[in-house]
Amino acid sequence: MSASQTDAIVVGAGFAGMYALHKLRDELGLSTRVFEAGNGVGGTWYWNRYPGARCDSDSYIYCYTFDKDLLQEWEWSERYPEQPEILRYLNHVADRFDLRKDIQFGTRVTGADYDEATKRWQVRTDAGEVATAQYLIGAVGCLSASNVPAFRGMDTFRGKSYHTSSWPHEGVDFTAKRVAVIGTGASAVQAIPVIAQQAKHLTVFQRTPNFCVPARNGKVDPDVARTRKANYDAIKENIRNSYFGFELNFIMKSALEAPPEERERVFEEMWDHGGFPFWLANYQDMFFSKEANDVCAEFLRRKIRETVKDPAVADKLTPKTYPYGTKRQPLDTNYFDTFNKPNVLLVDVNDSPIEEITPNGVRTRDREYPFDIIVFGTGFDAMTGPIKKMGIRGRGGEVLADKWADGPTSYLGLMVAGFPNFFTITGPGSPSVLSNMPVSIEQHVEWISDCIKHMRESGVETIEPTPDAEVRWTAHVAEVANTSLMPTANSWYMGRNIPGKPQVFMPYLGGVGPYRQHCAEVAAKGYEGFTFAT
Ligand SMILES: Cc1cc2nc3c(=O)[nH]c(=O)nc-3n(C[C@H](O)[C@H](O)[C@H](O)COP(=O)(O)OP(=O)(O)OC[C@H]3O[C@@H](n4cnc5c(N)ncnc54)[C@H](O)[C@@H]3O)c2cc1C
């Protein structure tokens, strides 16, 4: 069978892969082929269909901004739209730009080898197909490799079990069912209140309690939507140059300097407003000083005690072992209140570890709990997981997963030395998951597309970072993280949710705006830190 040949291969058809296809095919005129494991576009929003699934970024900025007409024509119904609405939006984008004809669905890339003789990537799929391309774009997502814990007896359970990130398309009926949710991260925080409304009984198994902030979802006011549409140029500029890709800025003051009454008022305002401001627009030293952080954390702990009626349950739900904001901020709608319901039980697995899954349910050290349905809200092998799973081998047959055995290395989170013409969209070492992701995705796709355009105009065939640039950037990513409290938590940002994963802070904390500017300067200086070859 002869291998199909295109200029570019893109792996993944979520926000990132879809825009990459449009940019490379429609603007640069490259023949481009996309492989997507799912049977439709949308990535995260194709897979994560659990009850309560919605984005936590405000809808008016959780979207593409590259096309003015698209921005004007799409109407978001809610402040944080539910998964079906986001998926409808991404399908609309696929139709509008005629993307599907170049996407091969239901096809997983299982290997990619760089052939030094032809200077092309040879990509293999789970269908046994081989395709080659000059450029390989990893648009595999930061949160697309599910983390399914390896409990003993997983296969023996006679009921139904689901992971939030691969939810059945027809939905799950919890009526009259005894349900377990294992995990209390951002997805579980969204799902638990909805499941509790339907299930006969819900048991939540918690390892680490979370600091939650109310989402305060609601319908979008048509006047507000109109004003935003009239101001999208400014909004776009603002989010692209902000710290986290939102219209949010830190309070340029120390939490410790603000008088207690002022602080209390500010906290209450952010609490009432809901959403990410409490996390990303708090006092500027919140992420950096433990004492300042404690003040913010104590406010949130008090809110838990005020909401949860049983003091023992409130105590279990109260985070005490890590600084506030150092794990992904879950936004909640009635999360803590759900634990006041008579049909909801919280089990702290630190007191009573899960020993095995049995045919009837879950056995902890203390007892067996019978269930009809088990929901795993256990998150992802974040950031490096999906890239490693692509089976990438670069120059000299070097295996990327081996190169990253002690943690990911990269230059700008965009490329890796020894892997020519392989680009990672929102790869480790870039702001990625520490940002409103469509902003970071657009920046990467545009940088990559400009880079390929430059290569074609200059008649060069390959680009890759110098080892030195990669070492320096990787050290810089760690150095910036280490100025903050971020690395101190057992977070997935640090790889600590996966047994044996190297403990390295993977995203870049230097800020979306400064990072964008730095990437632009690198390009303006003739792609400083990269080498080109013909
Ligand atoms: C429940 C949930 C809520 C979220 N909420 C927010 C939010 O509020 N704000 C925010 O900014 N971000 C949020 N995110 C992050 C979200 O992942 C990004 O916003 C965005 O959707 C990422 O798009 P992407 O295209 O980079 O990756 P994805 O959407 O993950 O798409 C990657 C695609 O690549 C495919 N793929 C992976 N490996 C292979 C392979 N080897 N072969 C073929 N196909 C492959 C996958 O099937 C997937 O469809 C959320 C994530 C989750 C899970």
Side-chain angles (χ1 to χ4, degrees):
M1 190 174 68
S2 68
S4 88
Q5 299 196 12
T6 50
D7 294 323
I9 287 176
V10 176
V11 188
F15 264 101
M18 291 169 63
Y19 185 35
L21 170 59
H22 169 60
K23 206 69 185 157
L24 299 183
R25 184 192 69 184
D26 303 335
E27 291 188 21
L28 294 195
L30 266 57
S31 58
T32 306
R33 191 157 182 218
V34 181
F35 291 109
E36 165 56 57
N39 286 318
V41 296
T44 289
W45 306 104
Y46 172 86
W47 295 106
N48 292 260
R49 299 172 188 238
Y50 58 85
R54 56 177 77 249
C55 59
D56 292 330
S57 297
D58 288 65
S59 52
Y60 76 100
I61 49 168
Y62 191 69
C63 55
Y64 294 112
T65 61
F66 69 83
D67 186 286
K68 286 192 180 190
D69 294 336
L70 176 62
L71 275 173
Q72 294 302 320
E73 76 202 15
W74 187 261
E75 301 287 346
W76 293 108
S77 70
E78 291 184 295
R79 178 173 178 187
Y80 315 102
E82 277 191 296
Q83 171 273 331
E85 188 170 340
I86 306 174
L87 188 58
R88 267 201 307 283
Y89 167 75
L90 290 165
N91 273 290
H92 168 74
V93 173
D95 291 339
R96 202 178 189 288
F97 297 98
D98 198 11
L99 299 179
R100 281 193 199 79
K101 67 179 184 208
D102 290 305
I103 305 175
Q104 188 168 322
F105 294 108
T107 309
R108 185 170 287 282
V109 168
T110 51
D113 292 288
Y114 183 68
D115 179 349
E116 288 176 71
T118 59
K119 299 197 179 74
R120 289 177 73 84
W121 282 95
Q122 194 173 71
V123 168
R124 293 183 306 281
T125 74
D126 58 357
E129 228 177 312
V130 178
T132 79
Q134 186 179 356
Y135 310 103
L136 177 61
I137 323 285
V140 289
C142 296
L143 302 171
S144 66
S146 308
N147 169 37
V148 183
F151 292 118
R152 196 170 62 212
M154 286 287 274
D155 297 338
T156 64
F157 183 55
R158 282 198 297 258
K160 301 269 187 208
S161 62
Y162 308 98
H163 194 286
T164 51
S165 68
S166 47
W167 204 256
H169 290 200
E170 63 281 9
V172 176
D173 185 5
F174 293 102
T175 313
K177 297 287 195 283
R178 297 161 304 170
V179 182
V181 173
I182 299 179
T184 53
S187 295
V189 165
Q190 290 183 333
I192 284 166
V194 186
I195 296 174
Q197 277 173 21
Q198 220 185 56
K200 181 166 135 204
H201 193 272
L202 171 64
T203 306
V204 176
F205 292 90
Q206 171 190 275
R207 182 171 61 186
T208 314
N210 252 309
F211 289 101
C212 302
V213 171
R216 308 225 187 272
N217 190 27
K219 293 283 168 215
V220 176
D221 177 339
D223 288 337
V224 172
R226 253 192 306 279
T227 309
R228 284 181 179 146
K229 285 193 175 187
N231 287 301
Y232 254 128
D233 285 349
I235 291 171
K236 181 174 170 180
E237 192 60 18
N238 197 2
I239 57 179
R240 287 184 162 211
N241 294 301
S242 67
Y243 209 83
F244 292 111
F246 295 86
E247 289 200 285
L248 297 173
N249 291 305
F250 292 121
I251 303 165
M252 298 311 281
K253 206 184 224 182
S254 161
L256 303 171
E257 280 165 13
E261 324 73 68
E262 177 186 312
R263 213 163 51 203
E264 187 65 13
R265 181 177 48 73
V266 167
F267 286 163
E268 286 290 353
E269 276 169 16
M270 292 192 290
W271 178 262
D272 287 344
H273 184 269
F276 281 154
F278 201 96
W279 188 34
L280 304 178
N282 211 309
Y283 289 98
Q284 62 173 0
D285 50 352
M286 192 269 284
F287 279 115
F288 304 98
S289 146
K290 179 69 171 58
E291 291 71 30
N293 190 284
D294 282 343
V295 174
C296 309
E298 201 39 48
F299 176 87
L300 295 177
R301 292 190 188 109
R302 201 179 74 214
K303 291 290 184 189
I304 299 171
R305 291 194 292 270
E306 285 169 9
T307 310
V308 181
K309 296 198 179 101
D310 180 334
V313 177
D315 190 55
K316 280 187 201 165
L317 287 167
T318 302
K320 301 181 194 89
T321 56
Y322 61 94
Y324 167 61
T326 53
K327 287 160 75 78
R328 163 61 153 82
Q329 171 73 71
L331 298 187
D332 87 275
T333 303
N334 303 326
Y335 177 67
F336 290 120
D337 204 29
T338 295
F339 293 92
N340 292 325
K341 283 174 164 275
N343 68 331
V344 177
L345 174 71
L346 178 68
V347 176
D348 184 339
V349 301
N350 298 295
D351 300 339
S352 182
I354 294 176
E355 292 196 330
E356 62 176 338
I357 306 292
T358 66
N360 291 324
V362 174
R363 188 194 306 283
T364 67
R365 197 169 55 199
D366 300 331
R367 56 168 280 204
E368 185 180 17
Y369 297 83
F371 296 116
D372 304 305
I373 299 175
I374 300 176
V375 174
F376 291 98
T378 43
F380 301 92
D381 180 356
M383 306 202 71
T384 49
I387 301 175
K388 283 185 175 181
K389 287 197 162 103
M390 275 171 74
I392 306 271
R393 280 192 300 207
R395 196 189 290 291
E398 186 179 20
V399 177
L400 183 59
D402 292 345
K403 175 162 176 161
W404 283 3
D406 296 328
T409 58
S410 79
Y411 183 36
L412 304 174
L414 274 162
M415 296 198 84
V416 184
F419 298 79
N421 290 2
F422 170 54
F423 299 89
T424 49
I425 302 176
T426 65
S430 73
S432 57
V433 290
L434 284 180
S435 69
N436 176 36
M437 292 203 68
V439 177
S440 292
I441 287 169
E442 285 191 333
Q443 185 245 336
H444 267 191
V445 171
E446 286 159 17
W447 192 95
I448 292 165
S449 138
D450 287 348
C451 173
I452 292 177
K453 183 162 181 268
H454 169 83
M455 288 169 70
R456 292 176 98 76
E457 285 169 359
S458 325
V460 294
E461 283 177 303
T462 64
I463 177 171
E464 68 178 291
T466 65
D468 180 52
E470 177 174 293
V471 166
R472 279 189 288 120
W473 181 257
T474 304
H476 172 64
V477 171
E479 193 187 332
V480 174
N482 288 334
T483 61
S484 78
L485 300 169
M486 280 290 192
T488 63
N490 285 336
S491 65
W492 56 255
Y493 299 134
M494 282 296 292
R496 291 202 177 112
N497 61 328
I498 306 289
K501 189 166 172 170
Q503 302 193 357
V504 172
F505 192 79
M506 295 179 285
Y508 177 54
L509 185 59
V512 165
Y515 170 80
R516 165 185 293 274
Q517 197 180 339
H518 182 71
C519 290
E521 281 165 12
V522 165
K525 289 181 191 158
Y527 293 87
E528 191 177 50
F530 291 95
T531 50
F532 292 108
T534 44

